[in-house]
Amino acid sequence: MNAQQFLQRMAETANALDLDEHMNLISKDVSVFGVPGFDVIGYEDWFNQCRHEFENKLLKQVSYKGLNVLAETPDRIMFKSLETVEGADGTVNSSGIEFIIQKEDDGTWRVSQERVLPDDELENDLRRGAL
């Protein structure tokens, strides 16, 4: 699996509102940084948020644009992309995201760490054409 395929799978499972398949892409040990109002978000928080959004059909579409692979080993990839989430209510939120995905013991690639980029870092990446 490469980073582009992984992002495609993340979007497909979210757009299909398939909670089980989507959460199978998330490590039980995941840490998410950079979300305003939270120090760190873990698996349970991510699961509960997705369950709420999927069950209530709050998502219209999730998409990813741009890909900048920062580091790669056979079982770990670090990369950035621009995530856009369109809500059923018409809201559109775009965020720069830095992902670390890794191949876990069962052979499945999962997000182990995610960082929402601060605005200045995202603007710099966009200006440099890195996303």
Side-chain angles (χ1 to χ4, degrees), residues 1-55:
M1 168 134 351
N2 65 35
Q4 190 64 53
Q5 291 168 324
F6 189 84
L7 289 177
Q8 184 176 338
R9 193 78 189 113
M10 286 281 288
E12 287 171 355
T13 58
N15 293 333
L17 305 176
D18 188 334
L19 185 62
D20 290 340
E21 285 299 313
H22 189 72
M23 293 310 298
N24 191 41
L25 299 172
I26 314 304
S27 174
K28 298 275 197 239
D29 298 320
V30 71
S31 297
V32 180
F33 302 96
V35 178
F38 296 90
D39 289 334
V40 180
I41 291 175
Y43 181 87
E44 286 302 314
D45 300 311
W46 192 325
F47 175 84
N48 289 332
Q49 180 69 26
C50 285
R51 183 176 58 191
H52 173 73
E53 291 174 352
F54 291 12
E55 286 178 355

Short mmCIF file of all heavy atoms in Angstrom, two decimals, residues 1-55:
data_model
loop_
_atom_site.label_atom_id
_atom_site.label_comp_id
_atom_site.label_asym_id
_atom_site.label_seq_id
_atom_site.Cartn_x
_atom_site.Cartn_y
_atom_site.Cartn_z
N MET A 1 0.85 -1.18 0.00
CA MET A 1 0.00 0.00 0.00
C MET A 1 0.89 1.24 0.00
O MET A 1 1.89 1.28 0.69
CB MET A 1 -0.91 -0.02 1.23
CG MET A 1 -1.61 1.28 1.48
SD MET A 1 -3.36 1.36 1.85
CE MET A 1 -4.07 -0.19 1.63
N ASN A 2 0.50 2.23 -0.77
CA ASN A 2 1.22 3.49 -0.72
C ASN A 2 0.32 4.56 -0.11
O ASN A 2 -0.86 4.32 0.16
CB ASN A 2 1.76 3.88 -2.10
CG ASN A 2 0.66 4.18 -3.11
OD1 ASN A 2 -0.39 4.71 -2.77
ND2 ASN A 2 0.91 3.83 -4.36
N ALA A 3 0.88 5.74 0.11
CA ALA A 3 0.14 6.81 0.79
C ALA A 3 -1.11 7.22 0.00
O ALA A 3 -2.17 7.44 0.59
CB ALA A 3 1.06 8.01 1.00
N GLN A 4 -0.99 7.31 -1.32
CA GLN A 4 -2.14 7.71 -2.15
C GLN A 4 -3.27 6.68 -2.04
O GLN A 4 -4.44 7.05 -1.90
CB GLN A 4 -1.71 7.88 -3.61
CG GLN A 4 -2.78 8.52 -4.47
CD GLN A 4 -3.10 9.95 -4.06
OE1 GLN A 4 -2.20 10.77 -3.95
NE2 GLN A 4 -4.36 10.25 -3.82
N GLN A 5 -2.93 5.40 -2.09
CA GLN A 5 -3.94 4.35 -1.95
C GLN A 5 -4.60 4.41 -0.58
O GLN A 5 -5.80 4.21 -0.45
CB GLN A 5 -3.30 2.97 -2.16
CG GLN A 5 -2.85 2.72 -3.57
CD GLN A 5 -1.96 1.48 -3.68
OE1 GLN A 5 -1.16 1.19 -2.78
NE2 GLN A 5 -2.10 0.75 -4.78
N PHE A 6 -3.79 4.70 0.44
CA PHE A 6 -4.33 4.78 1.79
C PHE A 6 -5.34 5.93 1.90
O PHE A 6 -6.43 5.75 2.44
CB PHE A 6 -3.21 4.95 2.82
CG PHE A 6 -3.71 4.82 4.22
CD1 PHE A 6 -3.85 3.58 4.81
CD2 PHE A 6 -4.09 5.95 4.95
CE1 PHE A 6 -4.35 3.46 6.10
CE2 PHE A 6 -4.59 5.83 6.23
CZ PHE A 6 -4.72 4.58 6.80
N LEU A 7 -4.98 7.09 1.38
CA LEU A 7 -5.91 8.23 1.42
C LEU A 7 -7.19 7.93 0.65
O LEU A 7 -8.29 8.31 1.09
CB LEU A 7 -5.25 9.48 0.85
CG LEU A 7 -4.16 10.12 1.70
CD1 LEU A 7 -3.54 11.29 0.97
CD2 LEU A 7 -4.70 10.55 3.06
N GLN A 8 -7.06 7.25 -0.47
CA GLN A 8 -8.24 6.87 -1.25
C GLN A 8 -9.16 5.98 -0.42
O GLN A 8 -10.37 6.15 -0.40
CB GLN A 8 -7.81 6.16 -2.53
CG GLN A 8 -8.97 5.82 -3.44
CD GLN A 8 -8.49 5.21 -4.76
OE1 GLN A 8 -7.35 5.40 -5.18
NE2 GLN A 8 -9.37 4.47 -5.39
N ARG A 9 -8.56 5.04 0.30
CA ARG A 9 -9.34 4.12 1.15
C ARG A 9 -10.00 4.87 2.31
O ARG A 9 -11.14 4.61 2.66
CB ARG A 9 -8.40 3.03 1.67
CG ARG A 9 -9.09 1.86 2.28
CD ARG A 9 -9.66 0.90 1.21
NE ARG A 9 -10.48 -0.06 1.90
CZ ARG A 9 -11.80 -0.16 1.79
NH1 ARG A 9 -12.46 0.62 0.97
NH2 ARG A 9 -12.46 -1.05 2.46
N MET A 10 -9.28 5.84 2.91
CA MET A 10 -9.85 6.64 3.99
C MET A 10 -11.09 7.38 3.48
O MET A 10 -12.14 7.39 4.14
CB MET A 10 -8.82 7.67 4.50
CG MET A 10 -7.72 7.07 5.33
SD MET A 10 -8.18 6.74 7.04
CE MET A 10 -8.26 8.39 7.71
N ALA A 11 -10.98 8.00 2.30
CA ALA A 11 -12.10 8.74 1.73
C ALA A 11 -13.25 7.81 1.37
O ALA A 11 -14.42 8.10 1.68
CB ALA A 11 -11.64 9.53 0.51
N GLU A 12 -12.94 6.69 0.73
CA GLU A 12 -14.00 5.74 0.32
C GLU A 12 -14.81 5.25 1.50
O GLU A 12 -16.04 5.20 1.43
CB GLU A 12 -13.38 4.53 -0.39
CG GLU A 12 -12.88 4.79 -1.79
CD GLU A 12 -12.08 3.63 -2.36
OE1 GLU A 12 -11.83 2.63 -1.64
OE2 GLU A 12 -11.69 3.71 -3.53
N THR A 13 -14.13 4.86 2.58
CA THR A 13 -14.86 4.31 3.73
C THR A 13 -15.67 5.38 4.44
O THR A 13 -16.79 5.12 4.89
CB THR A 13 -13.90 3.61 4.72
OG1 THR A 13 -12.91 4.55 5.15
CG2 THR A 13 -13.24 2.39 4.08
N ALA A 14 -15.14 6.61 4.51
CA ALA A 14 -15.90 7.70 5.12
C ALA A 14 -17.10 8.07 4.26
O ALA A 14 -18.21 8.24 4.77
CB ALA A 14 -15.00 8.92 5.33
N ASN A 15 -16.89 8.16 2.94
CA ASN A 15 -17.99 8.54 2.05
C ASN A 15 -19.08 7.49 1.99
O ASN A 15 -20.24 7.80 1.76
CB ASN A 15 -17.45 8.85 0.65
CG ASN A 15 -16.59 10.09 0.64
OD1 ASN A 15 -16.75 10.99 1.47
ND2 ASN A 15 -15.64 10.15 -0.29
N ALA A 16 -18.71 6.22 2.24
CA ALA A 16 -19.69 5.14 2.28
C ALA A 16 -20.34 5.03 3.66
O ALA A 16 -21.22 4.20 3.86
CB ALA A 16 -19.03 3.81 1.91
N LEU A 17 -19.88 5.87 4.60
CA LEU A 17 -20.37 5.83 5.99
C LEU A 17 -20.20 4.43 6.57
O LEU A 17 -21.03 3.95 7.35
CB LEU A 17 -21.83 6.29 6.08
CG LEU A 17 -22.14 7.69 5.50
CD1 LEU A 17 -23.62 7.98 5.58
CD2 LEU A 17 -21.32 8.76 6.20
N ASP A 18 -19.09 3.78 6.22
CA ASP A 18 -18.80 2.41 6.67
C ASP A 18 -17.89 2.48 7.89
O ASP A 18 -16.66 2.51 7.77
CB ASP A 18 -18.14 1.64 5.53
CG ASP A 18 -17.99 0.15 5.85
OD1 ASP A 18 -17.91 -0.21 7.05
OD2 ASP A 18 -17.94 -0.64 4.89
N LEU A 19 -18.50 2.53 9.05
CA LEU A 19 -17.77 2.73 10.30
C LEU A 19 -16.74 1.63 10.55
O LEU A 19 -15.59 1.91 10.88
CB LEU A 19 -18.74 2.84 11.48
CG LEU A 19 -18.11 3.16 12.84
CD1 LEU A 19 -17.42 4.52 12.81
CD2 LEU A 19 -19.18 3.12 13.93
N ASP A 20 -17.13 0.37 10.37
CA ASP A 20 -16.21 -0.74 10.64
C ASP A 20 -14.98 -0.68 9.74
O ASP A 20 -13.84 -0.81 10.22
CB ASP A 20 -16.91 -2.09 10.46
CG ASP A 20 -17.93 -2.35 11.56
OD1 ASP A 20 -17.85 -1.72 12.63
OD2 ASP A 20 -18.82 -3.20 11.33
N GLU A 21 -15.19 -0.49 8.44
CA GLU A 21 -14.05 -0.44 7.51
C GLU A 21 -13.20 0.80 7.73
O GLU A 21 -11.98 0.74 7.63
CB GLU A 21 -14.54 -0.50 6.05
CG GLU A 21 -15.00 -1.88 5.63
CD GLU A 21 -13.90 -2.92 5.72
OE1 GLU A 21 -12.77 -2.66 5.26
OE2 GLU A 21 -14.16 -4.01 6.26
N HIS A 22 -13.85 1.92 8.04
CA HIS A 22 -13.10 3.15 8.29
C HIS A 22 -12.22 3.01 9.53
O HIS A 22 -11.04 3.33 9.50
CB HIS A 22 -14.05 4.35 8.42
CG HIS A 22 -13.33 5.65 8.47
ND1 HIS A 22 -12.72 6.20 7.36
CD2 HIS A 22 -13.11 6.51 9.50
CE1 HIS A 22 -12.16 7.35 7.71
NE2 HIS A 22 -12.37 7.57 8.99
N MET A 23 -12.80 2.50 10.60
CA MET A 23 -12.04 2.37 11.85
C MET A 23 -10.98 1.28 11.75
O MET A 23 -10.02 1.31 12.51
CB MET A 23 -12.99 2.12 13.02
CG MET A 23 -13.89 3.31 13.35
SD MET A 23 -13.04 4.92 13.52
CE MET A 23 -11.94 4.61 14.91
N ASN A 24 -11.11 0.36 10.80
CA ASN A 24 -10.06 -0.64 10.58
C ASN A 24 -8.80 0.00 10.00
O ASN A 24 -7.74 -0.62 9.98
CB ASN A 24 -10.56 -1.76 9.65
CG ASN A 24 -9.61 -2.93 9.63
OD1 ASN A 24 -9.06 -3.34 10.64
ND2 ASN A 24 -9.36 -3.46 8.43
N LEU A 25 -8.91 1.25 9.55
CA LEU A 25 -7.76 1.99 9.03
C LEU A 25 -7.08 2.82 10.11
O LEU A 25 -6.10 3.52 9.84
CB LEU A 25 -8.20 2.92 7.90
CG LEU A 25 -8.83 2.23 6.68
CD1 LEU A 25 -9.41 3.26 5.74
CD2 LEU A 25 -7.79 1.36 5.98
N ILE A 26 -7.61 2.74 11.34
CA ILE A 26 -7.11 3.55 12.44
C ILE A 26 -6.52 2.62 13.51
O ILE A 26 -7.18 1.70 13.98
CB ILE A 26 -8.24 4.38 13.09
CG1 ILE A 26 -9.10 5.08 12.04
CG2 ILE A 26 -7.68 5.35 14.13
CD1 ILE A 26 -8.36 5.97 11.08
N SER A 27 -5.28 2.89 13.91
CA SER A 27 -4.64 2.09 14.95
C SER A 27 -5.34 2.30 16.29
O SER A 27 -5.78 3.41 16.60
CB SER A 27 -3.17 2.49 15.07
OG SER A 27 -2.57 1.82 16.16
N LYS A 28 -5.41 1.25 17.07
CA LYS A 28 -5.97 1.36 18.43
C LYS A 28 -5.10 2.28 19.29
O LYS A 28 -5.56 2.82 20.29
CB LYS A 28 -6.07 -0.01 19.10
CG LYS A 28 -7.00 -0.96 18.37
CD LYS A 28 -8.43 -0.79 18.79
CE LYS A 28 -9.26 -1.98 18.40
NZ LYS A 28 -10.37 -1.67 17.52
N ASP A 29 -3.85 2.47 18.89
CA ASP A 29 -2.91 3.32 19.63
C ASP A 29 -2.74 4.70 18.98
O ASP A 29 -1.75 5.38 19.25
CB ASP A 29 -1.54 2.63 19.72
CG ASP A 29 -1.61 1.32 20.45
OD1 ASP A 29 -2.34 1.25 21.46
OD2 ASP A 29 -0.95 0.36 20.03
N VAL A 30 -3.68 5.11 18.14
CA VAL A 30 -3.55 6.37 17.42
C VAL A 30 -3.49 7.57 18.37
O VAL A 30 -4.10 7.56 19.45
CB VAL A 30 -4.72 6.55 16.41
CG1 VAL A 30 -6.04 6.83 17.12
CG2 VAL A 30 -4.40 7.62 15.39
N SER A 31 -2.75 8.58 17.94
CA SER A 31 -2.70 9.87 18.63
C SER A 31 -2.91 10.95 17.58
O SER A 31 -2.24 10.95 16.54
CB SER A 31 -1.36 10.10 19.30
OG SER A 31 -1.12 9.14 20.30
N VAL A 32 -3.85 11.85 17.86
CA VAL A 32 -4.13 12.97 16.96
C VAL A 32 -3.81 14.25 17.70
O VAL A 32 -4.31 14.48 18.80
CB VAL A 32 -5.60 12.97 16.49
CG1 VAL A 32 -5.86 14.15 15.55
CG2 VAL A 32 -5.96 11.65 15.82
N PHE A 33 -2.98 15.08 17.08
CA PHE A 33 -2.55 16.34 17.68
C PHE A 33 -3.03 17.51 16.83
O PHE A 33 -3.26 17.35 15.63
CB PHE A 33 -1.01 16.39 17.76
CG PHE A 33 -0.42 15.26 18.53
CD1 PHE A 33 0.05 14.12 17.89
CD2 PHE A 33 -0.34 15.32 19.91
CE1 PHE A 33 0.60 13.06 18.60
CE2 PHE A 33 0.22 14.27 20.63
CZ PHE A 33 0.68 13.14 19.98
N GLY A 34 -3.14 18.67 17.46
CA GLY A 34 -3.43 19.89 16.72
C GLY A 34 -4.89 20.23 16.55
O GLY A 34 -5.23 21.17 15.83
N VAL A 35 -5.78 19.44 17.18
CA VAL A 35 -7.21 19.76 17.10
C VAL A 35 -7.51 20.81 18.17
O VAL A 35 -7.26 20.56 19.35
CB VAL A 35 -8.07 18.49 17.31
CG1 VAL A 35 -9.56 18.86 17.28
CG2 VAL A 35 -7.76 17.45 16.25
N PRO A 36 -8.02 21.96 17.76
CA PRO A 36 -8.30 23.02 18.75
C PRO A 36 -9.19 22.52 19.88
O PRO A 36 -10.19 21.84 19.65
CB PRO A 36 -9.02 24.09 17.92
CG PRO A 36 -8.58 23.85 16.51
CD PRO A 36 -8.38 22.36 16.40
N GLY A 37 -8.78 22.83 21.11
CA GLY A 37 -9.56 22.46 22.28
C GLY A 37 -9.21 21.10 22.87
O GLY A 37 -9.77 20.71 23.89
N PHE A 38 -8.31 20.36 22.21
CA PHE A 38 -7.94 19.03 22.68
C PHE A 38 -6.42 18.91 22.72
O PHE A 38 -5.73 19.36 21.81
CB PHE A 38 -8.47 17.93 21.76
CG PHE A 38 -9.96 17.86 21.69
CD1 PHE A 38 -10.66 18.60 20.75
CD2 PHE A 38 -10.68 17.07 22.57
CE1 PHE A 38 -12.04 18.55 20.68
CE2 PHE A 38 -12.06 17.01 22.50
CZ PHE A 38 -12.74 17.75 21.56
N ASP A 39 -5.90 18.28 23.78
CA ASP A 39 -4.46 18.00 23.82
C ASP A 39 -4.14 16.89 22.83
O ASP A 39 -3.34 17.06 21.92
CB ASP A 39 -4.02 17.58 25.23
CG ASP A 39 -4.04 18.75 26.21
OD1 ASP A 39 -3.90 19.90 25.75
OD2 ASP A 39 -4.21 18.50 27.40
N VAL A 40 -4.76 15.74 23.03
CA VAL A 40 -4.56 14.57 22.17
C VAL A 40 -5.89 13.86 22.03
O VAL A 40 -6.64 13.72 22.99
CB VAL A 40 -3.53 13.59 22.78
CG1 VAL A 40 -3.33 12.39 21.86
CG2 VAL A 40 -2.20 14.27 23.04
N ILE A 41 -6.17 13.40 20.82
CA ILE A 41 -7.37 12.59 20.56
C ILE A 41 -6.90 11.17 20.32
O ILE A 41 -5.95 10.94 19.55
CB ILE A 41 -8.15 13.13 19.35
CG1 ILE A 41 -8.76 14.49 19.71
CG2 ILE A 41 -9.22 12.15 18.90
CD1 ILE A 41 -9.44 15.17 18.55
N GLY A 42 -7.56 10.21 20.96
CA GLY A 42 -7.21 8.81 20.81
C GLY A 42 -8.26 8.05 20.01
O GLY A 42 -9.20 8.63 19.46
N TYR A 43 -8.11 6.74 19.99
CA TYR A 43 -8.98 5.87 19.20
C TYR A 43 -10.45 6.01 19.60
O TYR A 43 -11.32 6.15 18.74
CB TYR A 43 -8.53 4.41 19.32
CG TYR A 43 -9.38 3.47 18.51
CD1 TYR A 43 -9.08 3.21 17.18
CD2 TYR A 43 -10.50 2.84 19.06
CE1 TYR A 43 -9.86 2.36 16.42
CE2 TYR A 43 -11.29 1.99 18.31
CZ TYR A 43 -10.98 1.75 16.99
OH TYR A 43 -11.76 0.92 16.24
N GLU A 44 -10.73 5.96 20.89
CA GLU A 44 -12.14 6.01 21.34
C GLU A 44 -12.81 7.32 20.93
O GLU A 44 -13.97 7.32 20.50
CB GLU A 44 -12.23 5.82 22.86
CG GLU A 44 -11.99 4.39 23.31
CD GLU A 44 -12.96 3.39 22.70
OE1 GLU A 44 -14.18 3.66 22.67
OE2 GLU A 44 -12.49 2.33 22.23
N ASP A 45 -12.06 8.42 21.05
CA ASP A 45 -12.61 9.72 20.63
C ASP A 45 -12.91 9.72 19.13
O ASP A 45 -13.96 10.20 18.69
CB ASP A 45 -11.62 10.84 20.94
CG ASP A 45 -11.29 10.94 22.42
OD1 ASP A 45 -12.23 10.96 23.23
OD2 ASP A 45 -10.09 10.98 22.75
N TRP A 46 -11.97 9.19 18.36
CA TRP A 46 -12.13 9.13 16.90
C TRP A 46 -13.34 8.25 16.56
O TRP A 46 -14.18 8.63 15.75
CB TRP A 46 -10.85 8.59 16.27
CG TRP A 46 -10.74 8.73 14.77
CD1 TRP A 46 -11.73 8.64 13.85
CD2 TRP A 46 -9.54 8.97 14.04
NE1 TRP A 46 -11.22 8.80 12.59
CE2 TRP A 46 -9.89 9.00 12.67
CE3 TRP A 46 -8.21 9.13 14.39
CZ2 TRP A 46 -8.94 9.20 11.67
CZ3 TRP A 46 -7.28 9.33 13.39
CH2 TRP A 46 -7.64 9.37 12.05
N PHE A 47 -13.42 7.10 17.17
CA PHE A 47 -14.52 6.17 16.94
C PHE A 47 -15.86 6.84 17.25
O PHE A 47 -16.80 6.79 16.44
CB PHE A 47 -14.35 4.90 17.79
CG PHE A 47 -15.52 3.97 17.68
CD1 PHE A 47 -15.62 3.05 16.64
CD2 PHE A 47 -16.53 4.00 18.63
CE1 PHE A 47 -16.70 2.19 16.53
CE2 PHE A 47 -17.62 3.14 18.53
CZ PHE A 47 -17.70 2.23 17.48
N ASN A 48 -15.96 7.47 18.41
CA ASN A 48 -17.23 8.09 18.81
C ASN A 48 -17.63 9.22 17.87
O ASN A 48 -18.81 9.37 17.54
CB ASN A 48 -17.13 8.61 20.25
CG ASN A 48 -17.11 7.47 21.25
OD1 ASN A 48 -17.64 6.38 21.01
ND2 ASN A 48 -16.45 7.69 22.38
N GLN A 49 -16.66 10.01 17.42
CA GLN A 49 -16.95 11.10 16.48
C GLN A 49 -17.44 10.54 15.15
O GLN A 49 -18.44 11.01 14.60
CB GLN A 49 -15.70 11.96 16.27
CG GLN A 49 -15.90 13.12 15.32
CD GLN A 49 -16.81 14.20 15.86
OE1 GLN A 49 -16.94 14.37 17.06
NE2 GLN A 49 -17.44 14.93 14.97
N CYS A 50 -16.74 9.53 14.62
CA CYS A 50 -17.15 8.93 13.35
C CYS A 50 -18.52 8.27 13.47
O CYS A 50 -19.36 8.41 12.58
CB CYS A 50 -16.12 7.91 12.87
SG CYS A 50 -14.62 8.67 12.20
N ARG A 51 -18.74 7.55 14.57
CA ARG A 51 -20.04 6.90 14.75
C ARG A 51 -21.16 7.94 14.71
O ARG A 51 -22.17 7.75 14.04
CB ARG A 51 -20.07 6.10 16.05
CG ARG A 51 -21.40 5.34 16.23
CD ARG A 51 -21.40 4.49 17.45
NE ARG A 51 -21.14 5.31 18.64
CZ ARG A 51 -20.88 4.83 19.84
NH1 ARG A 51 -20.80 3.54 20.03
NH2 ARG A 51 -20.67 5.63 20.85
N HIS A 52 -20.97 9.03 15.43
CA HIS A 52 -21.97 10.09 15.47
C HIS A 52 -22.19 10.67 14.06
O HIS A 52 -23.34 10.81 13.62
CB HIS A 52 -21.52 11.19 16.44
CG HIS A 52 -22.39 12.41 16.41
ND1 HIS A 52 -23.65 12.42 16.96
CD2 HIS A 52 -22.17 13.63 15.88
CE1 HIS A 52 -24.18 13.62 16.77
NE2 HIS A 52 -23.31 14.38 16.12
N GLU A 53 -21.10 10.99 13.36
CA GLU A 53 -21.22 11.59 12.03
C GLU A 53 -21.82 10.62 11.01
O GLU A 53 -22.65 11.01 10.19
CB GLU A 53 -19.86 12.08 11.54
CG GLU A 53 -19.35 13.26 12.32
CD GLU A 53 -17.93 13.67 11.94
OE1 GLU A 53 -17.26 12.94 11.16
OE2 GLU A 53 -17.48 14.72 12.43
N PHE A 54 -21.42 9.35 11.07
CA PHE A 54 -21.89 8.36 10.10
C PHE A 54 -23.36 8.02 10.36
O PHE A 54 -24.16 8.00 9.43
CB PHE A 54 -21.04 7.09 10.14
CG PHE A 54 -19.63 7.26 9.62
CD1 PHE A 54 -19.06 8.50 9.37
CD2 PHE A 54 -18.84 6.15 9.40
CE1 PHE A 54 -17.76 8.64 8.91
CE2 PHE A 54 -17.54 6.26 8.93
CZ PHE A 54 -17.00 7.51 8.67
N GLU A 55 -23.71 7.73 11.61
CA GLU A 55 -25.09 7.34 11.94
C GLU A 55 -26.07 8.45 11.61
O GLU A 55 -27.21 8.19 11.21
CB GLU A 55 -25.21 6.95 13.42
CG GLU A 55 -24.60 5.60 13.74
CD GLU A 55 -24.68 5.26 15.23
OE1 GLU A 55 -25.13 6.10 16.03
OE2 GLU A 55 -24.29 4.13 15.56
#
